[in-house]
Amino acid sequence: MLNSIDINKIREEFPVLNQEVNGFPLVYFDNAATSQKPTEVLEALNGYYRGYNSNVHRGAHTLAAKATDAFEATREKVRDFVGAAHTEEIIFTKGTTEAINLVAYSYGRAFIKEGDEIMISAMEHHSNIVPWQVLCEEKGAVLKIIPVSSEGELDYEAFENLLSEKTKFVAVVHVSNSLGTVNDVQRIIAAAKKVGAKVLLDGAQSSPHFNIDVQALDCDFYVFSGHKIYGPTGIGALYGKKEILEAMPPFLGGGEMIKEVTFAKTTYNELPYKFEAGTPNIGDTVALKNAIEFIERIGKDNIADHENSLLLYATEKMRAIPGIRLVGTAKNKVSVISFLMEGVHHFDLGMMLDARGIAIRTGHHCTQPLMNEFGIDGTARLSLAVYNTKEEIDTFVKALSNIANRFSKQKQKIS
Ligand code: 7TS
């Protein structure tokens, strides 16, 4: 781990950053959507396909053994990354969305009954809303929503008042992708445990930014996506407590997840394979290990410190631009700034910034109910990663100020 980080050196590890977009050096501020990949991840992918591509867990030959070892080494790496006690508690999925669906379908179908209550928050990504809605419709269960304040913080007292012995499951986002709010999940987990509810944390936006320890948190499930932690797309993980995963029925049926199949009856494989039907995404899984090693090498604390200093710097500069309104001003935030500019639609803002080589995301960020709470249809959002710099923020703030000036002059002319 480096003591203080040399951002220019880190940037050299990301070939995609070294390019011009629309005639300007690329400023990539869309990291909450997906992060860029360091060379070691690209080389691991290439190395797998060039060197030992093979199916896992079945071949009697050398390449198959090599592929299986590399695949399982990532499981061990992910176990360590989230602080789980056992490797069999780590199930590979396509990403956060598939992991939440796995829990909603498998745990939900087996253990949620008519009249039970499932609690989510007003700031969930659609992937932590829709699977629970589907389950509630199927089972006659009730979906309850933890409200959010105008600053973008959860109302913990309202949450505690909503909890009852009817609450069987609480699924909340650890860090909001639209607002950057870090939720007090310790408080949520402690309160949920008191009524015996299981808790799932959506870690899509917490996993890239700070240390995760699922045992200290005592959550029942934690899910994340590899592509947001400098790894490939199409691979993510579900952590679940062993005794809960053991009690859950399989999600998908097929090869790999079985012990024995006859036409009369199938017995299922043990954990984690019970939940990994079919040939998995081997190459991307192998390279996910390198992404986690990249993070370990830089150090999560160094990443958090750097990103937080950028967040404070950008927030201060943006507040000084006339007509800018920040959406989401929670006390505890990471890495995301959502904003609006008076008189300019966020889509147009995104296009004007893109013309300057600056990549941000615009729209509802797959959190339409949250946007409804704020009475808006979307925001412009910048989201930061370890390779972003103060200079990039200066470039962004300058471009934003120019746009603000241009539009306020136009307004003056018209009036
Ligand atoms: N949960 C949160 C909090 C997210 O931010 C995202 C993706 C997901 C779930 C779904 O992850 P996936 O990897 O399964 O797609 N968020 C975003 C975003 O903010 N912009 O694009 C994708």
Side-chain angles (χ1 to χ4, degrees), residues 180-211:
T181 310
V182 181
N183 289 322
D184 186 352
V185 293
Q186 281 92 340
R187 181 167 175 180
I188 291 174
I189 293 165
K193 295 272 138 171
K194 280 198 192 143
V195 298
K198 300 280 181 273
V199 181
L200 177 144
L201 295 183
D202 173 350
Q205 302 293 346
S206 56
S207 49
H209 304 297
F210 45 78
N211 281 317

Side-chain angles (χ1 to χ4, degrees), residues 364-385:
H364 53 62
H365 317 297
C366 300
T367 53
Q368 275 181 335
L370 178 66
M371 297 296 127
N372 291 340
E373 291 289 314
F374 280 92
I376 53 183
D377 67 343
T379 68
R381 177 190 74 178
L382 72 145
S383 51
L384 304 162

Side-chain angles (χ1 to χ4, degrees), residues 32-33 95-97 125 127 173 177 202 204-205 225 227-228 361 381:
T96 303
T97 303
H125 187 278
S127 62
V173 71
N177 65 314
D202 173 350
Q205 302 293 346
S225 298
H227 70 95
K228 295 191 200 280
R361 186 177 167 183
R381 177 190 74 178

